[in-house]
């Protein structure tokens, strides 16, 4: 089976990245992770990529003349590896026009809330402060806004009365690790279609 070529962009821990690699190495997987790019030299995710034998690069934005130049370099790496889908996994920057145009409809992100509730930083803390009873996570296509693109998959997670930010984040993260690889599989099944704000799974 020809496998879809995926790059992961990350800034930190990289647990979603390792969950994707685990899934991609199952016999029935239709994708493989070919490249990791980070904006942070010390991102643990970069070390995990090296340990998993996946080509990894650090491109610190400070070394470029601006956002466009930074993203052009990212695009050059993506094109060199013939990447078909870019997955943001804890990548702490907004994607600009250079990358968005080159990979229109081919950039995904995961966010630890049921969007459109609680975009941005500390989504789990925001959910607790708001007294939400059900939180969760969302995989969505990336557009120029903050966590605002068309939704591909969501998983609800019940908020417990005694939850801390930490305990809730841990339960949500477990679900992130399930739904993100699944969304990637959907993408490479060729059945995902973006109709305005709505993502549908076309019949086979
Ligand atoms: C996850 O909670 C993800 O939803 C958010 O950033 C976090 C990244 O975690 N966008 P990890 O680096 O994948 O462990």
């Amino acid at each position: 089976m020809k496998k879809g070529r995926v790059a992961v962009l990350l800034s930190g821990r990289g647990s979603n990245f390792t969950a994707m690699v685990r899934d991609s190495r199952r016999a029935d997987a239709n994708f493989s992770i070919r490249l990791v790019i980070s904006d942070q030299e010390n991102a643990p995710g970069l070390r995990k990529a090296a340990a998993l034998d996946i080509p990894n690069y650090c491109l610190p934005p400070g070394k470029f003349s601006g956002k466009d130049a930074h993203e052009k370099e990212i695009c050059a790496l993506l094109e060199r590896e013939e990447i078909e889908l870019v997955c943001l996994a804890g990548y702490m920057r907004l994607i600009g026009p250079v990358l968005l145009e080159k990979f229109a409809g081919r950039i995904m992100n995961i966010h630890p809330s049921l969007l459109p509730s609680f975009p941005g930083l500390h989504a789990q803390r925001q959910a607790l402060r708001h007294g939400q009873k059900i939180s969760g996570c969302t995989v969505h296509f990336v557009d120029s806004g903050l966590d605002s693109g068309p939704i591909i998959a969501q998983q609800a997670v019940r908020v417990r009365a005694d939850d801390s930010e930490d305990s809730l984040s841990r339960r949500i993260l477990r679900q992130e690790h399930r739904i993100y690889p699944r969304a990637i599989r959907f993408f490479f099944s060729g059945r995902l279609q973006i109709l305005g704000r709505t993502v549908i799974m076309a019949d086979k």
Side-chain angles (χ1 to χ4, degrees):
M1 186 205 305
K2 185 191 162 289
K3 301 210 171 192
R5 299 174 71 86
V6 177
V8 177
L9 269 55
L10 54 79
S11 302
R13 181 173 60 183
S15 74
N16 275 289
F17 155 64
T18 47
M20 286 172 200
V21 174
R22 212 175 307 130
D23 190 61
S24 73
R25 291 182 176 176
R26 295 201 169 102
D28 63 345
N30 61 358
F31 71 97
S32 71
I33 311 288
R34 310 303 293 220
L35 178 66
V36 173
I37 301 174
S38 180
D39 58 336
Q40 301 293 326
E41 271 166 40
N42 298 324
L46 276 180
R47 291 198 297 278
K48 289 176 182 166
L52 288 162
D53 257 341
I54 295 175
N56 57 93
Y57 297 86
C58 180
L59 299 178
K63 295 201 174 146
F64 296 84
S65 56
K67 197 178 184 74
D68 283 4
H70 184 232
E71 291 198 344
K72 275 185 189 149
E73 189 66 27
I74 293 176
C75 282
L77 280 175
L78 296 173
E79 284 171 350
R80 202 173 74 196
E81 290 295 329
E82 297 175 12
I83 297 300
E84 295 164 287
L85 175 69
V86 178
C87 290
L88 312 184
Y91 186 64
M92 304 304 282
R93 330 190 69 77
L94 274 179
I95 301 302
V98 170
L99 206 41
L100 276 175
E101 268 162 37
K102 272 260 152 59
F103 282 83
R106 296 191 294 141
I107 309 177
M108 288 184 184
N109 182 40
I110 185 137
H111 184 74
S113 76
L114 291 180
L115 291 170
S117 292
F118 312 125
L121 290 176
H122 308 301
Q124 304 93 331
R125 191 186 305 170
Q126 294 186 58
L128 283 173
R129 288 203 177 138
H130 202 81
Q132 222 181 20
K133 304 297 184 207
I134 307 277
S135 186
C137 46
T138 304
V139 182
H140 62 92
F141 282 114
V142 171
D143 63 11
S144 58
L146 177 64
D147 302 320
S148 56
I151 291 170
I152 303 163
Q154 294 188 299
Q155 177 63 52
V157 172
R158 199 174 296 281
V159 180
R160 296 181 186 148
D162 61 351
D163 258 333
S164 62
E165 187 178 347
D166 209 46
S167 62
L168 178 60
S169 301
R170 248 181 288 126
R171 286 205 313 291
I172 292 175
L173 192 64
R174 229 176 286 143
Q175 299 308 320
E176 293 182 34
H177 295 167
R178 291 181 51 238
I179 68 168
Y180 210 171
R182 201 180 295 162
I184 299 172
R185 286 184 183 227
F186 284 161
F187 180 87
F188 286 109
S189 75
R191 290 163 62 207
L192 280 191
Q193 283 177 13
I194 309 176
L195 297 176
R197 270 222 57 88
T198 308
V199 178
I200 58 160
M201 280 283 281
D203 289 337
K204 270 192 180 158

